Amino acid sequence: MYPSVSSLPREHLAEYFLTQQNLELEKWIPILQKQQETLTKEVSFLEQNRRLVTHPVQWDLRWLADQITPEISYLLVGERHGFAEISNAVTQLVLTLRLRYPQRQIFLFTEFLPEGKTWKELKAFEGTRLHDPTWQAADISQIPVVGLEPRFVWDNIELRLSYQNKQDQSCEQLLWGSVEGVRIRNEHWMNTLQQYRQQYPQALFVVYAGGAHLSYLEPYSLGVTLPEEQTLVTTLRPQRYYMGHENQPLVTEFDELTKGRFRDRVLHFTSKEAARIAGFDISIKVPANRP
């Protein structure tokens, strides 16, 4: 689908995506609602299948690295965008993985770079600066960084959909954040991963992207598409968000749906069934950088 979309005239892209978005939402909204209902009903099951983690916060990423058993081929690291503490945590994870597995071949794939471009070629680009320390850590650790984002997406990243919502209010959404946009991007990312997998069958592939691309609950996500027994889905979320002098706690959709029953900083499900209900195997709330 990606080549045919990329051949559309720019002025027709929004029309195409708006049509496809309506079709996708009609299909997915009932499924997503059912997932949320299951999650709220299965809180007791999730509690029974969570592993209590009591180590100090400074050990979190080392502990996460220890969960990468030999059969794990894909570590999916989902984030909430725009938080420096999450980017810093991924930087530390990259360094920790290399120390933990000095002999294993590791690749870092990311949506934050376009395909075919190295991070060094884009150092002057505003959108990459937050993640520069991560790419530098990978370079030091001899872990190749591979951009996943199709160039066509990268070159048209600012395009938006305009529509009327159910309350008849005008709304806008980034075109590539729509269900159809994410589907096309994930499909292209999978093709890239498969091409590399043919060349490097034993390597550990770390995929660093927004959580919606990776969760077990999201439409067309990599977490759903990749082999279950070889995949570990983890999410990094800000523990606190500092705005001016106010300290405002952030909660995830998972926290809201489970009514705050899981206050664990590190939440780990030992049952794959529980992980599929929650959307992740491991969730880590990352402490904020103090101003």
Side-chain angles (χ1 to χ4, degrees), residues 92-151:
Q92 293 305 310
L93 176 61
V94 167
L95 295 169
T96 303
L97 284 171
R98 176 46 74 214
L99 289 173
R100 179 68 177 80
Y101 306 104
Q103 303 303 320
R104 189 169 186 184
Q105 198 165 31
I106 303 174
F107 286 83
L108 177 59
F109 297 87
T110 181
E111 76 163 300
F112 305 119
L113 292 173
E115 61 181 353
K117 288 286 185 180
T118 67
W119 67 272
K120 293 180 180 179
E121 294 176 275
L122 292 168
K123 284 190 76 172
F125 181 70
E126 182 70 30
T128 69
R129 288 177 183 169
L130 180 64
H131 305 292
D132 273 353
T134 304
W135 318 146
Q136 291 168 346
D139 192 42
I140 291 170
S141 303
Q142 297 184 316
I143 296 175
V145 180
V146 181
L148 287 174
E149 203 68 278
R151 291 307 304 271

Side-chain angles (χ1 to χ4, degrees), residues 13 23 26-27 102 107 110 167 174 183 190 212 235 262 267 275:
L13 281 174
L23 293 173
E26 184 178 358
K27 175 172 61 177
F107 286 83
T110 181
Q167 289 73 40
L174 281 173
R183 184 190 72 80
M190 273 299 303
T235 67
F262 299 91
L267 184 58

Side-chain angles (χ1 to χ4, degrees), residues 52-66:
L52 292 177
V53 179
T54 58
H55 60 249
V57 63
Q58 62 266 29
W59 295 2
D60 282 354
L61 301 178
R62 186 174 72 183
W63 174 87
L64 176 58
D66 287 343

Side-chain angles (χ1 to χ4, degrees), residues 67 69-74 216 223-232 272 276 281:
Q67 310 313 306
T69 52
E71 65 269 17
I72 297 297
S73 299
Y74 302 94
Y216 290 131
V224 172
T225 308
L226 290 166
E228 180 177 291
E229 67 281 0
Q230 299 175 27
T231 303
L232 188 72
K272 204 66 175 181
R276 289 281 177 165
D281 296 285

Side-chain angles (χ1 to χ4, degrees), residues 119-235:
W119 67 272
K120 293 180 180 179
E121 294 176 275
L122 292 168
K123 284 190 76 172
F125 181 70
E126 182 70 30
T128 69
R129 288 177 183 169
L130 180 64
H131 305 292
D132 273 353
T134 304
W135 318 146
Q136 291 168 346
D139 192 42
I140 291 170
S141 303
Q142 297 184 316
I143 296 175
V145 180
V146 181
L148 287 174
E149 203 68 278
R151 291 307 304 271
F152 176 70
V153 173
W154 193 269
D155 293 340
N156 295 279
I157 199 68
E158 82 288 353
L159 292 182
R160 295 177 178 270
L161 292 176
S162 297
Y163 60 93
Q164 300 291 119
N165 65 15
K166 290 183 177 179
Q167 289 73 40
D168 202 30
Q169 296 175 330
S170 296
C171 298
E172 278 196 339
Q173 178 185 22
L174 281 173
L175 185 150
W176 302 108
S178 67
V179 178
E180 175 64 5
V182 171
R183 184 190 72 80
I184 288 175
R185 292 164 66 198
N186 286 356
E187 184 180 272
H188 191 76
W189 297 5
M190 273 299 303
N191 289 338
T192 299
L193 293 174
Q194 289 169 347
Q195 290 171 15
Y196 272 81
R197 181 57 72 196
Q198 290 177 357
Q199 298 178 62
Y200 306 100
Q202 303 304 317
L204 172 64
F205 287 2
V206 181
V207 181
Y208 175 34
H213 294 278
L214 310 178
S215 168
Y216 290 131
L217 299 180
E218 294 290 340
Y220 308 112
S221 78
L222 301 191
V224 172
T225 308
L226 290 166
E228 180 177 291
E229 67 281 0
Q230 299 175 27
T231 303
L232 188 72
V233 175
T234 186
T235 67

